[in-house]
Amino acid sequence: MESTHLLNTSKKRVKIHPHTVTAKYATQAPYSPQPGVHAHFPQPGDEGYDDAPSFEDFGSFLEETSDKKQLTESRKWRLTVFGSKEKDTANKLQTLGGAEGSEGGARAAKVSGKGVGEQLASFGEASVSASRLTWVGLLGAALAHGCLIVLTRLASERFRLGPLFLLLVRSIVQLVSVAVPLHRGENPLGPQGYRLRLLCYGVAYSLSLCCAYASLTFVSPGDGTTTWRLATTALSAILAFLLLEERLGLADGITIAAGLCGLGLVLLPTADESNSDAQTDPVKFWRGAFGWSLSALAGLWMALALVGYRSLKERVGVGTALFTVSWTGCVLAPVSLFLLQEGLSWPMSAEAWGLVLGLAACSVAAFLGMTHALTRLHPSLVSASQSLEVPVAMLLHLAVLPLAPTAPEVVGNVMVILSVGWLVAIKLLPARGGGRRQREEYEEILDSPIK
C-alpha cells in the first residue's frame, strides 16, 4: 500500500514517495545556485531545529539497520546453541534506548561530573564486593566437596554403605528444597518455555553424580574424584566455547592448565600399584578400566550440566535448580542401583545417620556455592576452583586415616593450591585498580572539549 506525505512551506513543496523524492520550488524560474548564496541549515533557536535529526542519530540508525550488522548477528545466533532470542531482543532494545538517552545522560554528567564519579566508584565497590562473595562461596564449596570425599569413604569403610545408596538418600533429603521456589511464588518445574532445558540440566547433573558414585566401587575415591574433576574442568572449557561462545582469557587458560597438570600428578600410580597383580589379572584390569571410564563420563555429564545452567542463569533460580537435581536424582539413583546390582544397606546407628545427614548438608552447601558462581563466572573457572577439593580431602585423610602421601601427590596438590590461589588473586586484586582507571578515563572524557 502506497502512502504519500506532503510538506508545504512558503518557499518549497516537497513530495515524499516510497520510491522517489522530488522537490518543486514555488518560484517561476528554475532554481539555479547564485554566487554568494549558500544553503541555510537550521541553527539553535530556529524553528524546526529540534525536529531535525542529528548526525549521531543518523549514524546510530545506519549502524542498527546495516546489512553487515544483521548478517553478523544472524550468524552469531546460529552458532550459539543455548542462546536466547529474548535475550538478544532485550539487548538490542537496551542499545537503542541507550542511544536515545545518550544525549541527556551526557548533559547530566557534564553538570554533575563529580556525582558520576562517585556513582562509578560505588558501582565498582559493589562489583568487587559481589566478586568477593562469589569466590568465598566457591572456596566454601570446594571445602564442602573435600568433606564429601572423606565422608563417603568413611561411610563405605566403617558402615558398609554403598555410594549409590548414599546418593539416593542425599537426593531424598534435598527434596525439601521445593520450599524455596514455592515460597517465592515460582513454579518448581521452571518457567514456561525453559522446562525442557531445565530437565536436561537436571538429568545431566544426576547422571554425572550416578557415574561418579558408581566409579567408587571400582577405583579408589581419590582417583575417581580427581579424574572427575580433571575431565569436568577441561570439557567445560571446550563446551562453553562451542555452545555458548564463551572464551577463557590467556591468564585464566594458563592457570587452569597448571591446575590440570597438578591433578595429573596426583593420578600417577604409586610403586605398589605399578607392581600389583592388576596388570596381569584381566578381571582387575577391566574393572579398573571401567571405573576410570565412569569417572571420565561423569566429567562429561557435569560439564554439560554446568554449561546448561550457565545458559539458564537469568531464568532459573538456585533453589529451582537444586530441586530439579534432587528429583531427577531420586529417579536415576535407583536405576543405577538396579543396573550395578548394589545392595541396600540401611544405617543401623545414630552415628551412621549423622554421617549421612552431614553428607547431605555438605552436598547442599557445595551445590549452592557452585551454582551461584555460575551466574557470574565461566563454567571452567567454577570447576577449576573446585579442584581445591583434592588437597582438602588429602589433608582430611591425613587427620582421619593416617596414610603418608607420595611425592607426586604432594607436588600435584601444591600445584593445585597455587593455581587456585593465583586464579582468585588475578580476579580480585586488579578489580579496584581497573575500576579506578575506568573512572579516570570517563572523567577525562567529560572534561575534554571534544565530545
Side-chain angles (χ1 to χ4, degrees):
M1 179 178 179
E2 298 184 356
S3 60
T4 304
H5 176 70
L6 296 178
L7 177 63
N8 295 323
T9 60
S10 59
K11 292 184 178 181
K12 64 179 180 179
R13 183 182 65 182
V14 180
K15 180 180 180 182
I16 301 177
H17 192 270
H19 302 290
T20 59
V21 177
T22 58
K24 295 182 180 180
Y25 290 83
T27 57
Q28 299 295 332
Y31 172 77
S32 61
Q34 300 177 3
V37 178
H38 303 283
H40 175 73
F41 294 96
Q43 300 298 321
D46 295 348
E47 182 181 359
Y49 174 77
D50 296 332
D51 299 333
S54 62
F55 289 103
E56 290 81 0
D57 296 336
F58 184 71
S60 63
F61 172 76
L62 288 180
E63 182 181 358
E64 293 297 329
T65 58
S66 62
D67 295 336
K68 181 178 179 181
K69 180 173 182 180
Q70 293 177 2
L71 181 60
T72 304
E73 291 181 351
S74 63
R75 289 179 178 175
K76 186 176 181 180
W77 159 247
R78 291 188 180 92
L79 288 175
T80 307
V81 177
F82 288 128
S84 174
K85 292 183 178 179
E86 296 181 1
K87 182 179 179 180
D88 296 340
T89 306
N91 291 337
K92 185 179 295 184
L93 293 177
Q94 183 179 2
T95 304
L96 292 175
E100 294 175 357
S102 60
E103 185 178 357
R107 293 174 181 174
K110 184 177 180 180
V111 175
S112 57
K114 186 177 180 181
V116 172
E118 294 177 354
Q119 290 179 2
L120 290 175
S122 63
F123 290 158
E125 293 175 358
S127 178
V128 171
S129 177
S131 299
R132 288 175 178 172
L133 291 177
T134 300
W135 282 102
V136 168
L138 271 178
L139 297 180
L143 179 62
H145 274 130
C147 295
L148 273 176
I149 299 173
V150 178
L151 292 178
T152 303
R153 184 170 182 177
L154 289 177
S156 177
E157 293 180 355
R158 293 190 179 183
F159 302 103
R160 304 299 178 183
L161 299 176
L164 289 175
F165 171 76
L166 293 175
L167 177 60
L168 177 60
V169 176
R170 157 185 165 177
S171 301
I172 294 174
V173 173
Q174 291 176 356
L175 287 176
V176 298
S177 60
V178 70
V180 177
L182 291 179
H183 177 71
R184 294 182 177 180
E186 302 174 357
N187 193 325
L189 299 179
Q192 189 174 3
Y194 295 86
R195 294 175 184 174
L196 180 59
R197 290 164 62 180
L198 181 61
L199 175 62
C200 293
Y201 158 75
V203 170
Y205 199 102
S206 297
L207 282 176
S208 174
L209 294 180
C210 289
C211 293
Y213 276 73
S215 67
L216 301 182
T217 308
F218 307 97
V219 296
S220 64
D223 292 343
T225 305
T226 305
T227 306
W228 181 24
R229 185 57 56 196
L230 192 152
T232 301
T233 304
L235 293 174
S236 60
I238 298 174
L239 292 177
F241 172 72
L242 294 177
L243 302 180
L244 300 178
E245 293 186 338
E246 292 189 6
R247 298 172 176 82
L248 286 170
L250 180 60
D252 295 339
I254 295 175
T255 307
I256 290 176
L260 294 179
C261 292
L263 294 178
L265 289 178
V266 175
L267 289 175
L268 290 178
T270 61
D272 296 337
E273 293 175 351
S274 301
N275 299 326
S276 63
D277 56 351
Q279 303 294 333
T280 58
D281 190 354
V283 176
K284 292 185 178 180
F285 173 79
W286 288 111
R287 279 178 60 88
F290 183 67
W292 290 100
S293 301
L294 284 178
S295 299
L297 186 60
L300 174 60
W301 286 117
M302 182 56 69
L304 284 172
L306 295 181
V307 173
Y309 185 79
R310 177 74 174 169
S311 66
L312 296 171
K313 61 180 182 178
E314 298 178 357
R315 296 290 180 176
V316 178
V318 178
T320 305
L322 178 58
F323 174 70
T324 304
V325 169
S326 301
W327 75 260
T328 51
C330 291
V331 174
L332 295 177
V335 176
S336 302
L337 281 169
F338 175 76
L339 292 177
L340 296 178
Q341 298 296 318
E342 183 179 313
L344 296 177
S345 55
W346 291 91
M348 303 302 295
S349 62
E351 184 180 0
W353 276 110
L355 190 146
V356 171
L357 294 178
L359 191 146
C362 290
S363 65
V364 171
F367 180 87
L368 294 179
M370 280 187 58
T371 309
H372 173 71
L374 283 173
T375 61
R376 299 177 60 89
L377 299 176
H378 192 280
S380 186
L381 294 178
V382 174
S383 180
S385 65
Q386 299 309 294
S387 302
L388 201 62
E389 66 182 352
V390 178
V392 168
M394 185 191 71
L395 295 177
L396 293 178
H397 280 156
L398 292 177
V400 179
L401 303 171
L403 297 175
T406 61
E409 289 179 354
V410 174
V411 174
N413 284 304
V414 170
M415 289 183 63
V416 170
I417 294 175
L418 292 179
S419 65
V420 175
W422 179 253
L423 193 62
V424 175
I426 63 177
K427 292 298 179 183
L428 294 184
L429 292 183
R432 288 185 177 274
R436 187 181 299 110
R437 286 195 303 270
Q438 293 178 359
R439 187 165 62 252
E440 291 176 354
E441 292 176 358
Y442 189 78
E443 291 176 353
E444 182 180 356
I445 293 174
L446 292 179
D447 298 336
S448 174
I450 303 177
K451 295 184 177 63

